[in-house]
mmCIF file of all heavy atoms in Angstrom:
data_model
loop_
_atom_site.group_PDB
_atom_site.id
_atom_site.type_symbol
_atom_site.label_atom_id
_atom_site.label_comp_id
_atom_site.label_asym_id
_atom_site.label_seq_id
_atom_site.Cartn_x
_atom_site.Cartn_y
_atom_site.Cartn_z
ATOM 1 N N VAL F 1296 -18.836 21.440 -15.064
ATOM 2 C CA VAL F 1296 -20.154 21.394 -15.703
ATOM 3 C C VAL F 1296 -21.169 20.730 -14.779
ATOM 4 O O VAL F 1296 -22.292 21.225 -14.612
ATOM 5 C CB VAL F 1296 -20.082 20.645 -17.050
ATOM 6 C CG1 VAL F 1296 -21.479 20.368 -17.589
ATOM 7 C CG2 VAL F 1296 -19.269 21.447 -18.063
ATOM 8 N N ALA F 1297 -20.792 19.609 -14.174
ATOM 9 C CA ALA F 1297 -21.716 18.887 -13.291
ATOM 10 C C ALA F 1297 -22.120 19.745 -12.105
ATOM 11 O O ALA F 1297 -23.301 19.774 -11.710
ATOM 12 C CB ALA F 1297 -21.072 17.585 -12.817
ATOM 13 N N ASP F 1298 -21.164 20.454 -11.515
ATOM 14 C CA ASP F 1298 -21.469 21.314 -10.372
ATOM 15 C C ASP F 1298 -22.452 22.413 -10.754
ATOM 16 O O ASP F 1298 -23.368 22.746 -9.989
ATOM 17 C CB ASP F 1298 -20.185 21.939 -9.820
ATOM 18 C CG ASP F 1298 -19.276 20.916 -9.145
ATOM 19 O OD1 ASP F 1298 -19.761 19.813 -8.824
ATOM 20 O OD2 ASP F 1298 -18.089 21.226 -8.944
ATOM 21 N N VAL F 1299 -22.254 22.980 -11.949
ATOM 22 C CA VAL F 1299 -23.144 24.052 -12.409
ATOM 23 C C VAL F 1299 -24.523 23.503 -12.753
ATOM 24 O O VAL F 1299 -25.553 24.089 -12.379
ATOM 25 C CB VAL F 1299 -22.523 24.764 -13.635
ATOM 26 C CG1 VAL F 1299 -23.550 25.688 -14.296
ATOM 27 C CG2 VAL F 1299 -21.290 25.554 -13.227
ATOM 28 N N GLU F 1300 -24.558 22.377 -13.447
ATOM 29 C CA GLU F 1300 -25.827 21.821 -13.907
ATOM 30 C C GLU F 1300 -26.730 21.406 -12.759
ATOM 31 O O GLU F 1300 -27.959 21.379 -12.901
ATOM 32 C CB GLU F 1300 -25.561 20.620 -14.821
ATOM 33 C CG GLU F 1300 -24.914 20.977 -16.148
ATOM 34 C CD GLU F 1300 -25.817 21.819 -17.030
ATOM 35 O OE1 GLU F 1300 -26.914 21.364 -17.381
ATOM 36 O OE2 GLU F 1300 -25.430 22.962 -17.352
ATOM 37 N N ASN F 1301 -26.155 21.087 -11.625
ATOM 38 C CA ASN F 1301 -26.961 20.632 -10.484
ATOM 39 C C ASN F 1301 -27.600 21.769 -9.699
ATOM 40 O O ASN F 1301 -28.299 21.515 -8.713
ATOM 41 C CB ASN F 1301 -26.077 19.802 -9.529
ATOM 42 C CG ASN F 1301 -25.724 18.449 -10.107
ATOM 43 O OD1 ASN F 1301 -26.465 17.910 -10.927
ATOM 44 N ND2 ASN F 1301 -24.583 17.900 -9.694
ATOM 45 N N ARG F 1302 -27.392 23.006 -10.127
ATOM 46 C CA ARG F 1302 -27.885 24.149 -9.350
ATOM 47 C C ARG F 1302 -29.100 24.846 -9.952
ATOM 48 O O ARG F 1302 -29.583 25.833 -9.408
ATOM 49 C CB ARG F 1302 -26.751 25.158 -9.140
ATOM 50 C CG ARG F 1302 -25.601 24.582 -8.307
ATOM 51 C CD ARG F 1302 -24.498 25.580 -8.098
ATOM 52 N NE ARG F 1302 -23.418 25.014 -7.306
ATOM 53 C CZ ARG F 1302 -23.366 25.030 -5.972
ATOM 54 N NH1 ARG F 1302 -24.345 25.601 -5.287
ATOM 55 N NH2 ARG F 1302 -22.339 24.502 -5.331
ATOM 56 N N GLY F 1303 -29.580 24.359 -11.087
ATOM 57 C CA GLY F 1303 -30.826 24.878 -11.635
ATOM 58 C C GLY F 1303 -30.746 26.259 -12.256
ATOM 59 O O GLY F 1303 -31.752 26.978 -12.300
ATOM 60 N N TYR F 1304 -29.590 26.642 -12.736
ATOM 61 C CA TYR F 1304 -29.452 27.954 -13.371
ATOM 62 C C TYR F 1304 -30.111 27.954 -14.753
ATOM 63 O O TYR F 1304 -30.345 26.902 -15.345
ATOM 64 C CB TYR F 1304 -27.970 28.311 -13.550
ATOM 65 C CG TYR F 1304 -27.187 28.449 -12.267
ATOM 66 C CD1 TYR F 1304 -26.068 27.653 -12.026
ATOM 67 C CD2 TYR F 1304 -27.548 29.381 -11.293
ATOM 68 C CE1 TYR F 1304 -25.336 27.781 -10.850
ATOM 69 C CE2 TYR F 1304 -26.821 29.515 -10.113
ATOM 70 C CZ TYR F 1304 -25.722 28.708 -9.904
ATOM 71 O OH TYR F 1304 -24.998 28.840 -8.747
ATOM 72 N N SER F 1305 -30.378 29.138 -15.261
ATOM 73 C CA SER F 1305 -30.829 29.256 -16.642
ATOM 74 C C SER F 1305 -29.692 28.778 -17.545
ATOM 75 O O SER F 1305 -28.525 28.683 -17.133
ATOM 76 C CB SER F 1305 -31.176 30.714 -16.968
ATOM 77 O OG SER F 1305 -29.998 31.516 -16.997
ATOM 78 N N SER F 1306 -30.022 28.497 -18.800
ATOM 79 C CA SER F 1306 -29.015 27.984 -19.727
ATOM 80 C C SER F 1306 -27.864 28.963 -19.923
ATOM 81 O O SER F 1306 -26.684 28.573 -19.910
ATOM 82 C CB SER F 1306 -29.661 27.671 -21.077
ATOM 83 O OG SER F 1306 -30.595 26.631 -20.959
ATOM 84 N N LEU F 1307 -28.182 30.239 -20.090
ATOM 85 C CA LEU F 1307 -27.133 31.226 -20.315
ATOM 86 C C LEU F 1307 -26.271 31.404 -19.071
ATOM 87 O O LEU F 1307 -25.048 31.488 -19.159
ATOM 88 C CB LEU F 1307 -27.741 32.565 -20.740
ATOM 89 C CG LEU F 1307 -26.739 33.673 -21.097
ATOM 90 C CD1 LEU F 1307 -25.781 33.218 -22.197
ATOM 91 C CD2 LEU F 1307 -27.481 34.941 -21.527
ATOM 92 N N GLU F 1308 -26.909 31.453 -17.907
ATOM 93 C CA GLU F 1308 -26.127 31.590 -16.673
ATOM 94 C C GLU F 1308 -25.236 30.368 -16.455
ATOM 95 O O GLU F 1308 -24.079 30.507 -16.038
ATOM 96 C CB GLU F 1308 -27.033 31.793 -15.463
ATOM 97 C CG GLU F 1308 -26.238 31.931 -14.159
ATOM 98 C CD GLU F 1308 -27.054 32.433 -12.982
ATOM 99 O OE1 GLU F 1308 -28.218 32.822 -13.186
ATOM 100 O OE2 GLU F 1308 -26.513 32.435 -11.853
ATOM 101 N N ALA F 1309 -25.756 29.190 -16.744
ATOM 102 C CA ALA F 1309 -24.956 27.974 -16.593
ATOM 103 C C ALA F 1309 -23.726 28.034 -17.502
ATOM 104 O O ALA F 1309 -22.614 27.671 -17.088
ATOM 105 C CB ALA F 1309 -25.795 26.750 -16.910
ATOM 106 N N LEU F 1310 -23.916 28.490 -18.722
ATOM 107 C CA LEU F 1310 -22.796 28.592 -19.654
ATOM 108 C C LEU F 1310 -21.771 29.609 -19.166
ATOM 109 O O LEU F 1310 -20.555 29.355 -19.206
ATOM 110 C CB LEU F 1310 -23.304 28.973 -21.041
ATOM 111 C CG LEU F 1310 -22.259 29.096 -22.152
ATOM 112 C CD1 LEU F 1310 -21.467 27.794 -22.307
ATOM 113 C CD2 LEU F 1310 -22.937 29.471 -23.464
ATOM 114 N N ARG F 1312 -21.248 30.606 -16.066
ATOM 115 C CA ARG F 1312 -20.578 30.084 -14.867
ATOM 116 C C ARG F 1312 -19.563 28.999 -15.231
ATOM 117 O O ARG F 1312 -18.505 28.884 -14.590
ATOM 118 C CB ARG F 1312 -21.611 29.556 -13.876
ATOM 119 C CG ARG F 1312 -22.399 30.658 -13.178
ATOM 120 C CD ARG F 1312 -23.349 30.103 -12.120
ATOM 121 N NE ARG F 1312 -24.035 31.174 -11.413
ATOM 122 C CZ ARG F 1312 -23.540 31.828 -10.354
ATOM 123 N NH1 ARG F 1312 -22.341 31.470 -9.876
ATOM 124 N NH2 ARG F 1312 -24.224 32.782 -9.778
ATOM 125 N N TYR F 1354 -21.261 21.551 -25.736
ATOM 126 C CA TYR F 1354 -21.898 22.108 -24.533
ATOM 127 C C TYR F 1354 -22.438 23.508 -24.812
ATOM 128 O O TYR F 1354 -23.583 23.829 -24.435
ATOM 129 C CB TYR F 1354 -20.886 22.154 -23.387
ATOM 130 C CG TYR F 1354 -21.472 22.668 -22.094
ATOM 131 C CD1 TYR F 1354 -22.417 21.926 -21.393
ATOM 132 C CD2 TYR F 1354 -21.089 23.908 -21.584
ATOM 133 C CE1 TYR F 1354 -22.966 22.403 -20.212
ATOM 134 C CE2 TYR F 1354 -21.627 24.390 -20.406
ATOM 135 C CZ TYR F 1354 -22.566 23.636 -19.726
ATOM 136 O OH TYR F 1354 -23.116 24.115 -18.557
ATOM 137 N N LYS F 1358 -26.346 24.853 -24.565
ATOM 138 C CA LYS F 1358 -26.731 25.948 -23.663
ATOM 139 C C LYS F 1358 -27.344 27.116 -24.443
ATOM 140 O O LYS F 1358 -28.321 27.730 -23.989
ATOM 141 C CB LYS F 1358 -25.518 26.422 -22.868
ATOM 142 C CG LYS F 1358 -24.997 25.420 -21.847
ATOM 143 C CD LYS F 1358 -25.963 25.184 -20.696
ATOM 144 C CE LYS F 1358 -26.719 23.898 -20.782
ATOM 145 N NZ LYS F 1358 -27.601 23.653 -19.617
ATOM 146 N N GLU F 1365 -35.507 29.855 -23.667
ATOM 147 C CA GLU F 1365 -35.848 30.608 -22.454
ATOM 148 C C GLU F 1365 -35.941 32.102 -22.704
ATOM 149 O O GLU F 1365 -36.168 32.880 -21.770
ATOM 150 C CB GLU F 1365 -34.791 30.316 -21.377
ATOM 151 C CG GLU F 1365 -34.790 28.857 -20.917
ATOM 152 C CD GLU F 1365 -33.463 28.410 -20.304
ATOM 153 O OE1 GLU F 1365 -32.598 29.286 -20.048
ATOM 154 O OE2 GLU F 1365 -33.292 27.190 -20.090
ATOM 155 N N ASP F 1367 -33.673 34.236 -23.308
ATOM 156 C CA ASP F 1367 -32.574 35.023 -22.750
ATOM 157 C C ASP F 1367 -31.666 35.578 -23.838
ATOM 158 O O ASP F 1367 -30.827 36.439 -23.562
ATOM 159 C CB ASP F 1367 -31.747 34.173 -21.778
ATOM 160 C CG ASP F 1367 -32.259 34.264 -20.353
ATOM 161 O OD1 ASP F 1367 -32.945 35.252 -20.031
ATOM 162 O OD2 ASP F 1367 -31.976 33.346 -19.552
ATOM 163 N N ARG F 1424 -29.063 41.857 -15.934
ATOM 164 C CA ARG F 1424 -28.852 40.654 -15.108
ATOM 165 C C ARG F 1424 -27.547 39.968 -15.473
ATOM 166 O O ARG F 1424 -26.758 39.591 -14.595
ATOM 167 C CB ARG F 1424 -30.017 39.687 -15.294
ATOM 168 C CG ARG F 1424 -29.791 38.330 -14.647
ATOM 169 C CD ARG F 1424 -30.857 37.326 -15.037
ATOM 170 N NE ARG F 1424 -30.544 35.991 -14.533
ATOM 171 C CZ ARG F 1424 -31.237 34.897 -14.823
ATOM 172 N NH1 ARG F 1424 -32.295 34.990 -15.627
ATOM 173 N NH2 ARG F 1424 -30.877 33.723 -14.334
ATOM 174 N N TYR F 1425 -27.284 39.805 -16.770
ATOM 175 C CA TYR F 1425 -26.129 39.027 -17.191
ATOM 176 C C TYR F 1425 -24.834 39.841 -17.180
ATOM 177 O O TYR F 1425 -23.755 39.293 -16.942
ATOM 178 C CB TYR F 1425 -26.404 38.393 -18.548
ATOM 179 C CG TYR F 1425 -27.446 37.305 -18.444
ATOM 180 C CD1 TYR F 1425 -28.730 37.477 -18.964
ATOM 181 C CD2 TYR F 1425 -27.167 36.120 -17.775
ATOM 182 C CE1 TYR F 1425 -29.699 36.474 -18.834
ATOM 183 C CE2 TYR F 1425 -28.121 35.126 -17.635
ATOM 184 C CZ TYR F 1425 -29.382 35.305 -18.168
ATOM 185 O OH TYR F 1425 -30.328 34.320 -18.028
#
Side-chain angles (χ1 to χ4, degrees):
V1296 169
D1298 291 343
V1299 169
E1300 292 295 300
N1301 288 333
R1302 296 180 180 272
Y1304 297 121
S1305 69
S1306 295
L1307 184 56
E1308 180 167 352
L1310 181 57
R1312 287 184 177 275
Y1354 182 68
K1358 291 293 103 177
E1365 295 157 11
D1367 270 338
R1424 171 189 174 186
Y1425 290 109

